[in-house]
């Protein structure tokens, strides 16, 4: 790893030094030039500046030539035009006409110079290339040049693609470097300077310095334009000219050839030279000229994004693509703000190409090093002999080249690991014991089916407020903090075996000292062991295997043994003690011990014993036997139960009031056991009712139930003394002990036995639910819900236990 890191750093430093230099060298080459220009044009088009109102174009158009005759127009006509303008005091006049020679008629030049003396007039130089390619400028005729306020070059040099985007501030040969005419009109002296004056090397053959970009206002006609002819004839207002910069030149429809293609105003468009100078003068006058750096600033702008991207790659290589897009977005934003707000034209495509090249080179070198590292590790892994439990691997074909050999080596290592992991995962999943693999902080990374069934039998744990992942193929406990999850469960302190106690304090010490009960009634204990007890780098690197010992069956058997013992020690023994007491009274000749009373008492206690034993046998039968389910009319079950208790009810002076509604459908039931359960509820109601009272037995269909085909609801209501909420909760709890209250008279209806246990068990096996409503002095009502099923349904013998169990358990735990 140290060698790999060292190579990373060396290659990173080489890219940091060489890549910006290469991109700077390519910046002026074909491809990047066109890309930079295209982005520049698009940004200028989106942020075009409106033309200012202090520039007026006097255009020599087609109508002017048709009226005044063919070009060139006599200079005396220009003189008349300038005199017309002088009367309205324009700020300056650019006569965008090349007047390099004197007129054949001296009077023409005299008239023009006289007119030029009346207002500030500026004249352009005529551009001409020397025989060796050295640029040169021809000055206007001497008399005109002296009469002009200033002269300067008007050369709009196109870029490499032939479009005009800017003008050089200074241009000329090494001996004479002329300022741009717009600079002269803006206040720059209109005379040539030497190369040293502008910081150029004296030996240069041609000089071009200070190029600035023009943010064109739009297509031809964007600036206020008036015909040359209208000015000449005085057809204009004073406000049109006064205080304005007036530019006189040929328009496009004059067909004099003075048009150039410009960029930045949308589709390819030609502008007359006079309108190009109007845009350039506007930019110079109002500080909207776009600087085009060609010195160290351009180099720095290209290099900084590349350096930033490489630095981010080094800090966090896993997010290199995100860093690339981030640096690209930053370049776009800075480039746009620099152009629109700072009026600086920075290259756009060059730094982005550098960032893209940095990403490609970095990714390529990183992947190359990683592949080398993987190959070495794969070879080391494959050199390990196969274990006894490792599945056999398929035969690999003979490799033809080194690349194929490397891929085969890596595939072989991956296949070994995959098969071994699948074997371990499948083995853990199939274990009957709940097992979880936890991170050092207790968060579950993997669990098996038994653990999910114990802790997360449903997709969500609503009781803990902790949502688990959904889907049968997803580990629903993955990502759950196990200590926090079990801390919310009911728990009881237990004694931890000495062998299970940890030598040093861990997060599992407190958890292993308790016994837990889930919301579904499952009970378990916990044991945890470290996967790497010999780890030398601290507790923070350990993973834990947690085993949950499900002791639900043990605790259930323990409770049943306790209940059976209580039943045998109290309820069954109590009648026998009464019989022995009666016999002792008779033997001692005590009052009330005559034979008739003894016989009646023995008979009553014997019947009580028989009834208790029958209930006990019914309970065992309801909990242990295999039910014989068949389609049954629910009404027949209720009627059979009423018939079974009719005589008993009348003997106690009670009336039975059945009300059986229409139920469309049948239930799958073991009719004798279900009838016995309803009989137990009726007997309980008889015992708790006073003579003269009524028992109400109702049956109605409930189509809105959650069951697929609806359900039938059976209610048994008495008019007894009722029960308070604590008594109802105690009665409906599964852990309620099977014994009578001390001193209760079962025959008089003041106690309760194990009959309700039979009812609960039978209803649970039928997939139904049981609820009770009672209040002191208002009687008690038991409600039974049983799911309906269509006639063609096939019912499995254990369906009720599977589907009904959780719901009944939830209802009975209220």
């Amino acid at each position: 790893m140290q060698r790999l890191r060292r190579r990373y750093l060396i290659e990173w430093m080489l890219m940091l030094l060489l890549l910006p230099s290469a991109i700077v060298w390519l910046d002026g080459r074909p491809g990047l030039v066109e890309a930079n220009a295209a982005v520049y044009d698009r940004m200028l088009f989106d942020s075009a500046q409106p033309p200012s109102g202090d520039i007026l174009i006097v255009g020599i158009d087609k109508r002017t030539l048709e009226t005044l005759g063919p070009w060139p127009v006599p200079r005396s006509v220009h003189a008349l035009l300038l005199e017309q303008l002088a009367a309205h005091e324009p700020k300056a006049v650019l006569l965008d006409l090349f007047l390099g020679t004197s007129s054949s008629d001296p009077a023409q030049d005299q008239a023009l110079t006289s007119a030029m003396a009346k207002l500030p007039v500026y004249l352009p130089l005529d551009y001409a290339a020397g025989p060796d390619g050295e640029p040169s400028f021809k000055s206007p005729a001497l008399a005109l040049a002296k009469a002009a306020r200033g002269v300067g070059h008007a050369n709009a040099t196109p870029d490499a693609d032939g479009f005009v985007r800017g003008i050089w501030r200074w241009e000329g040969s090494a001996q004479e470097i002329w300022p741009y005419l717009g600079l002269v009109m803006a206040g720059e002296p209109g005379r040539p300077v030497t190369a040293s004056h502008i910081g150029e090397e004296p030996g240069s053959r041609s000089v071009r310095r200070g190029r600035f970009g023009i943010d064109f206002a739009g297509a031809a006609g964007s600036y206020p334009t008036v015909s040359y002819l209208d000015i000449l004839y005085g057809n204009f207002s004073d406000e049109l000219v006064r205080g304005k910069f007036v530019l006189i030149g040929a328009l496009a429809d004059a067909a004099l050839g003075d048009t150039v293609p410009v960029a930045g105003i949308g589709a390819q468009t030609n502008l007359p030279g006079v309108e190009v100078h109007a845009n350039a003068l506007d930019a110079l006058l109002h500080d909207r000229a776009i600087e085009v750096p060609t010195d160290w600033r351009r180099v720095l702008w290209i290099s900084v994004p590349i350096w930033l991207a490489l630095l981010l790659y080094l800090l966090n290589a896993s997010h290199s693509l995100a860093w690339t897009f981030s640096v690209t977005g930053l370049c776009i934003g800075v480039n746009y703000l620099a152009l629109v707000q700072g009026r600086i034209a920075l290259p756009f495509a060059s730094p982005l190409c550098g960032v893209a090249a940095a990403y490609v080179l970095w990714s390529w070198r990183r992947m190359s090093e990683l592949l080398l590292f993987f190959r070495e590790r794969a070879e080391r892994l494959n050199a390990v002999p196969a274990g006894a439990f490792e599945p056999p691997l398929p035969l690999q074909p003979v490799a033809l080249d080194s690349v194929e050999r490397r891929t085969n080596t890596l595939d072989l290592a991956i296949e070994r690991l995959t098969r071994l992991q699948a074997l371990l995962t499948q083995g853990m999943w199939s274990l009957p014991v709940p097992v979880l693999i936890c991170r050092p902080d207790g968060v579950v990374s993997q669990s098996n089916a038994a653990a999910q069934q114990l802790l997360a039998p449903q997709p969500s744990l609503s009781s803990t407020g902790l949502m688990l992942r959904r889907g049968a193929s997803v580990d629903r406990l993955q990502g759950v903090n196990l200590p926090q999850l079990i801390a919310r469960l009911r728990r009881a302190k237990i004694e931890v075996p000495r062998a299970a106690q940890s030598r040093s304090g861990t997060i599992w010490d407190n958890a292993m000292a308790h016994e837990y009960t889930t919301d579904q009634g499952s009970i378990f204990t916990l044991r945890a062991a470290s996967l790497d007890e010999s780890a030398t780098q601290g507790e923070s690197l350990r993973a834990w295997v947690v085993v949950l010992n499900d002791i639900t069956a043990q605790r259930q058997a323990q409770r049943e043994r306790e209940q059976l013992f209580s039943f045998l020690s109290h309820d069954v023994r109590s009648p026998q003690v009464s019989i022995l007491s009666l016999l002792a009274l008779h033997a001692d000749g005590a009052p009330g011990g005559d034979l008739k009373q003894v016989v009646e008492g023995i008979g009553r206690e014997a019947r009580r014993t028989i009834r208790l034993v029958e209930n006990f046998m019914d309970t065992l039968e309801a909990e242990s036997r295999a039910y014989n389910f068949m389609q049954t009319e629910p009404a027949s079950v209720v009627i059979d139960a009423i018939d079974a208790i009719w005589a008993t009810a009348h003997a106690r002076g009670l009336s039975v009031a059945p009300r059986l509604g229409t139920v469309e459908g049948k239930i799958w039931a073991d009719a004798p056991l279900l009838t016995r359960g309803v009989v137990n509820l009726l007997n309980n109601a008889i015992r708790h009712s006073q003579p003269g009272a009524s028992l109400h037995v109702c049956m109605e269909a409930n189509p809105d139930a959650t069951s697929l085909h609806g359900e039938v609801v059976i209610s048994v209501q008495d008019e007894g003394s009722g029960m308070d909420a604590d008594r109802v909760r105690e009665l409906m709890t599964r852990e309620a002990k099977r014994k009578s209250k001390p001193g209760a008279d079962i025959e008089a209806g003041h106690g309760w036995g194990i009959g309700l246990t039979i009812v609960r068990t039978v209803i649970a096996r039928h997939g139904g639910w049981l609820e009770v409503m009672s209040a002191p002095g208002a009687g008690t009502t038991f409600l039974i819900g049983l799911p309906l099923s269509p006639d063609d349904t096939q019912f499995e013998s254990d369906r009720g236990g599977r589907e009904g169990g959780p719901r009944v358990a939830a209802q009975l735990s209220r």
Side-chain angles (χ1 to χ4, degrees), residues 544-604:
W544 293 87
V545 177
V546 179
V547 179
L548 307 181
N549 182 23
D550 191 347
I551 58 174
T552 306
Q554 301 175 20
R555 292 295 181 261
Q556 182 66 26
Q558 181 180 352
R559 285 195 299 269
E560 290 179 355
R561 286 195 300 270
E562 292 174 354
Q563 292 172 359
L564 180 59
F565 177 77
S566 175
F567 172 73
L568 293 176
S569 64
H570 185 276
D571 289 357
V572 176
R573 187 175 61 177
S574 179
Q576 311 308 316
V577 172
S578 298
I579 292 174
L580 292 176
S581 299
L582 290 172
L583 292 176
L585 289 174
H586 178 68
D588 294 341
D594 59 332
L595 182 60
K596 181 179 180 181
Q597 292 180 341
V598 171
V599 171
E600 290 177 354
I602 291 174
R604 182 177 64 251

Side-chain angles (χ1 to χ4, degrees), residues 508-545:
W508 306 106
D509 291 344
N510 183 59
M512 289 190 292
H514 290 85
E515 180 181 282
Y516 302 91
T517 302
T518 67
D519 294 338
Q520 291 74 34
S522 300
I523 306 172
F524 65 89
T525 57
L526 179 146
R527 293 292 177 267
S530 173
L531 281 177
D532 189 8
E533 288 288 353
S534 61
T536 60
Q537 301 187 27
E539 174 73 19
S540 60
L541 298 181
R542 288 186 180 181
W544 293 87
V545 177

Side-chain angles (χ1 to χ4, degrees), residues 793-814:
T793 301
Q794 298 299 320
F795 195 87
E796 300 178 7
S797 61
D798 61 343
R799 179 178 180 274
R802 290 200 310 268
E803 297 184 359
R807 181 173 182 182
V808 173
Q811 297 288 350
L812 297 181
S813 63
R814 296 180 180 176

